[in-house]
């Protein structure tokens, strides 16, 4: 009796069987990040409004400076400087209340786990741009590495970081120094090395005190207003310089010019000459700030960019704290000595800017270290 031969089961036949009847796989839920949502929404009316608001902040700073000078010319001679401080604090109090109604950024809300608020912000932007949101659930992106303070001082960025800190401190020192020195120059009339103004006030012992304040004349307030306008005078030329000459060379030139104009303040000149020197100094120190801000944001990678900007801002505050001791205390004792000190700091900053190891002109932003 013949027996029926069966085909042996092999691995290949089992594989064919498994391929013929695939098991259904569960679909992974769709997710997206804040960056994905921003890319999907695209450019629109929201970004135009944001550009106008952020671009005008420099004009909100200039306007505030001009407003406080104009307010001082009215309030100080009539009801005193204490009332000037009280009136000037009103906008700050209003801002404290207004901050409550300003929405938090979507990226911050996601990082703190408040995805509902982040999603509401993104949906509001999408509606304003008349665009659609990406499909899925909003999630926080996984960061492989977060920036550390030690990253600013590693071998690659050590020299750059130290020189940037010196430049930020020096620019802030010069910026607040010229603002305070302007008032000192106008009050004491030290431009030509003359003696301080003496106000004859019979029976008033405070008038003989070295700490006695002399009132500004209307022409002094006009000088302060004109010199303040100088902060935006060099902006077009500054933008051309950093794009054609590069960040390092442009900053070294403006810092060197700042040092020169500090020394020119010692020249005996007319009132128009003094206004011109103060105008150029305010223009140059503002240009210095613009250039170093751009350079610092460009030179560091994404993981350490915020740390680099934050630490530089801290050094900036140190320069601002030191400036009054030079522009108001040392200048009263030695006018030329104070000017030489300001000029020397600017020269050091110019050298530091020229010798920065990295030029960021035409360099793409670094995403990782």
């Amino acid at each position: 009796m013949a027996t029926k031969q069966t085909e042996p089961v092999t691995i290949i036949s089992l594989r064919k069987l498994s391929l013929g009847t695939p098991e259904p796989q569960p679909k992974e839920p769709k997710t997206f990040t804040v960056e994905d949502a921003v890319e999907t929404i695209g450019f629109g009316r929201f970004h135009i409004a944001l550009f106008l608001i952020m671009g005008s902040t420099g004009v909100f700073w200039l306007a505030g400076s001009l407003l406080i000078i104009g307010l001082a010319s009215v309030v100080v001679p009539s009801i005193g400087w204490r009332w000037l401080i009280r009136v000037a604090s009103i906008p700050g109090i209003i801002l404290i209340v207004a901050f409550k109604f300003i929405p938090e950024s979507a990226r911050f809300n996601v990082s703190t786990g408040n995805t509902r608020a982040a999603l509401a912000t993104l949906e509001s932007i999408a509606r304003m741009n008349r665009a659609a949101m990406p499909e899925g659930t909003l999630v926080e992106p996984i960061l492989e590495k977060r920036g550390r303070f030690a990253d600013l001082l590693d071998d690659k960025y050590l020299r750059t970081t130290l020189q940037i800190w010196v430049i930020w401190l020096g620019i802030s020192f010069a910026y607040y120094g010229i603002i305070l020195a302007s008032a000192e120059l106008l009050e004491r009339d030290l431009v030509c090395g003359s003696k301080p103004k003496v106000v004859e006030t019979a029976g008033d012992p405070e008038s003989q005190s070295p700490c006695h304040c002399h009132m500004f004349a209307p022409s002094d307030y006009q000088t302060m207003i004109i010199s303040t306008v100088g902060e935006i005078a060099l902006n077009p030329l500054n933008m051309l310089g950093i794009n054609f000459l590069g960040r390092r060379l442009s900053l070294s030139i403006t810092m060197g010019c700042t040092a020169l104009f500090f020394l020119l303040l010692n020249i005996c000149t007319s009132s128009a000459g003094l206004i011109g020197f103060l105008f150029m100094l305010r223009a140059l120190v503002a240009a210095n700030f613009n250039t170093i801000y751009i350079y610092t944001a460009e030179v560091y990678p994404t993981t350490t960019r915020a740390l680099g900007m934050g630490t530089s801002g801290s050094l900036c505050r140190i320069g601002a704290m030191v400036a009054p001791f030079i522009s108001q205390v040392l200048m009263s004792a030695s006018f030329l000595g104070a000017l030489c000190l300001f000029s020397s700091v600017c020269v050091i900053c110019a050298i530091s800017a020229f010798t920065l190891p990295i030029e960021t002109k035409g360099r793409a932003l670094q995403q990782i270290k």
Side-chain angles (χ1 to χ4, degrees), residues 112-164:
T112 56
N114 192 359
T115 56
R116 180 177 298 179
L119 189 60
T121 301
L122 293 172
E123 290 175 345
S124 175
I125 297 173
R127 286 193 301 270
M128 190 171 180
N129 283 7
R130 297 176 182 176
M133 288 283 293
E135 297 181 357
T137 305
L138 179 62
V139 295
E140 181 181 6
I142 300 175
L143 296 179
E144 297 180 358
K145 181 182 178 182
R146 293 183 180 271
R148 301 173 302 167
F149 179 77
D151 295 335
L152 300 176
L153 302 176
D154 65 2
D155 295 337
K156 184 177 181 181
Y157 290 105
L158 175 60
R159 179 181 163 190
T160 301
T161 298
L162 294 179
Q163 290 184 226
I164 284 177

Side-chain angles (χ1 to χ4, degrees), residues 279-311:
F279 181 90
M280 285 303 302
L281 274 171
R282 294 291 289 267
L284 288 167
V285 292
N288 295 334
F289 256 129
N290 294 337
T291 307
I292 192 59
Y293 189 95
I294 293 172
Y295 179 86
T296 306
E298 292 177 337
V299 75
Y300 290 114
T302 302
T303 54
T304 55
R305 187 170 297 125
L307 281 173
M309 295 297 295
T311 54

Side-chain angles (χ1 to χ4, degrees), residues 85-211:
I85 301 298
R86 292 164 186 160
V87 174
S89 64
I90 294 176
I93 297 173
I94 296 175
L95 281 177
I96 292 175
V97 179
F99 282 150
K100 182 180 179 181
F101 304 96
I102 298 177
E104 191 57 79
S105 70
R107 185 174 285 105
F108 174 80
N109 282 329
V110 168
S111 65
T112 56
N114 192 359
T115 56
R116 180 177 298 179
L119 189 60
T121 301
L122 293 172
E123 290 175 345
S124 175
I125 297 173
R127 286 193 301 270
M128 190 171 180
N129 283 7
R130 297 176 182 176
M133 288 283 293
E135 297 181 357
T137 305
L138 179 62
V139 295
E140 181 181 6
I142 300 175
L143 296 179
E144 297 180 358
K145 181 182 178 182
R146 293 183 180 271
R148 301 173 302 167
F149 179 77
D151 295 335
L152 300 176
L153 302 176
D154 65 2
D155 295 337
K156 184 177 181 181
Y157 290 105
L158 175 60
R159 179 181 163 190
T160 301
T161 298
L162 294 179
Q163 290 184 226
I164 284 177
W165 286 351
V166 170
I167 295 171
W168 272 94
L169 190 151
I171 291 177
S172 175
F173 177 70
Y175 178 78
Y176 291 100
I178 188 55
I179 292 176
L180 297 171
S182 299
E184 193 73 11
L185 287 168
L186 296 173
E187 179 184 346
R188 297 179 180 271
D189 194 19
L190 297 176
V191 177
C192 297
S194 60
K195 295 182 180 181
K197 297 177 182 178
V198 178
V199 179
E200 297 291 340
T201 308
D204 186 5
E206 289 189 4
S207 63
Q208 306 302 323
S209 171
C211 298

Side-chain angles (χ1 to χ4, degrees), residues 11-33:
I11 297 176
I12 296 177
S13 61
L14 289 174
R15 184 175 298 170
K16 290 181 180 178
L17 180 62
S18 63
L19 291 176
T21 58
E23 296 182 0
Q25 298 292 332
K27 294 183 178 180
E28 295 184 359
K30 293 183 178 181
T31 60
F32 66 92
T33 64

Side-chain angles (χ1 to χ4, degrees), residues 29-64:
K30 293 183 178 181
T31 60
F32 66 92
T33 64
V34 173
E35 288 75 13
D36 296 332
V38 172
E39 291 292 333
T40 303
I41 293 172
F43 185 84
R45 291 186 296 175
F46 172 81
H47 298 87
I48 296 175
L50 184 65
F51 174 79
L52 293 175
I53 293 172
M54 298 304 298
S56 62
T57 53
V59 179
F60 290 165
W61 178 279
L62 177 64

Side-chain angles (χ1 to χ4, degrees), residues 195-230:
K195 295 182 180 181
K197 297 177 182 178
V198 178
V199 179
E200 297 291 340
T201 308
D204 186 5
E206 289 189 4
S207 63
Q208 306 302 323
S209 171
C211 298
H212 178 67
C213 294
H214 305 285
M215 301 293 290
F216 272 10
S219 60
D220 295 332
Y221 287 108
Q222 294 174 6
T223 300
M224 294 290 290
I225 290 175
I226 295 173
S227 62
T228 301
V229 175

